[in-house]
């Protein structure tokens, strides 16, 4: 990989880390604090949230009818999501130790915290829980697949890919054949428990 591109990627990673830190610190000083696994709002915010909460019957009447009609279709997707989750988790549990790849932690990707929002009624909280599981699980699976790709084939595509995982930008350029086996081994070593955050 071009040295200038590598420098830019390193700078991007540093800036992304700084942005994540700044974004995570900003709301906690304004509205809430995270204490362990609990989210605690200031009392005045809690009271405001309770006042803004729509009761179930008002929500049912004012919600878009198409949302209610398509609800069974959306929630039927839980079956393929759970099956995929089961198979991918089993794959990681059995194969990652053999490959020497550090396992992906579910709790880094699947986060249930929206039930702490008092302005949501129980149906809205249910929706949020479902969405948190679905999007979190897809991100969790994406990272498992990304580590697998880094282990077996850390090579960029010849054509531009619209959206890629975070590891892709550091992969070898398409056609970069010199010392491929040695470089592949470096990518594999970077996936171990001791090195996973370095590459």
């Amino acid at each position: 990989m071009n040295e200038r591109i590598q420098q830019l990627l390193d700078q991007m990673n540093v800036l992304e880390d700084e942005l994540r830190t700044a974004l995570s610190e900003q709301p906690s000083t304004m509205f809430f604090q995270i204490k362990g696994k609990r989210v605690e709002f200031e009392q005045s915010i809690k009271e405001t949230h309770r006042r803004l909460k729509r009761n179930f019957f008002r929500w049912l009447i004012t919600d878009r009818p198409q949302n209610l009609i398509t609800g069974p279709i959306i929630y039927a997707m839980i079956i393929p999501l759970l099956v995929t989750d089961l198979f991918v988790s089993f794959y990681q549990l059995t194969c990652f130790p053999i490959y020497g790849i550090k396992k992906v932690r579910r709790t880094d990707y699947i986060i249930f915290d929206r039930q702490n929002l008092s302005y949501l009624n129980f149906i809205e909280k249910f929706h949020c829980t479902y969405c948190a599981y679905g999007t979190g699980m897809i991100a969790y699976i994406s990272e498992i697949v990304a580590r697998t790709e880094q282990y077996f084939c850390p090579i960029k595509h010849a054509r531009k890919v619209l959206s890629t995982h975070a590891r892709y930008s550091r992969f070898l350029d398409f056609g970069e054949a010199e010392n491929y086996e040695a470089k592949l081994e470096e990518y594999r070593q970077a996936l171990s428990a001791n090195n996973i955050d370095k590459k």
Side-chain angles (χ1 to χ4, degrees), residues 155-161 168 172-175:
I155 301 169
K156 293 177 186 168
H157 293 283
R159 294 190 180 121
K160 184 178 178 181
V161 180
Y168 184 83
L172 299 169
D173 290 325
F174 188 84

Side-chain angles (χ1 to χ4, degrees), residues 82-125:
L82 288 170
V83 170
T84 305
D85 188 358
L86 178 71
F87 277 94
V88 172
S89 296
F90 178 73
Y91 156 69
Q92 175 184 229
L93 183 69
T94 55
C95 295
F96 272 25
I98 295 168
Y99 304 147
I101 300 174
K102 183 179 178 183
K103 290 185 191 131
V104 179
R105 290 185 343 161
R106 295 174 67 83
T107 54
D108 289 342
Y109 296 89
I110 302 173
I111 299 169
F112 300 108
D113 58 4
R114 295 173 184 156
Q115 68 274 10
N116 295 305
L117 299 170
S118 301
Y119 58 87
L120 300 177
N121 65 40
F122 73 96
I123 296 291
E124 290 169 319
K125 287 182 182 183

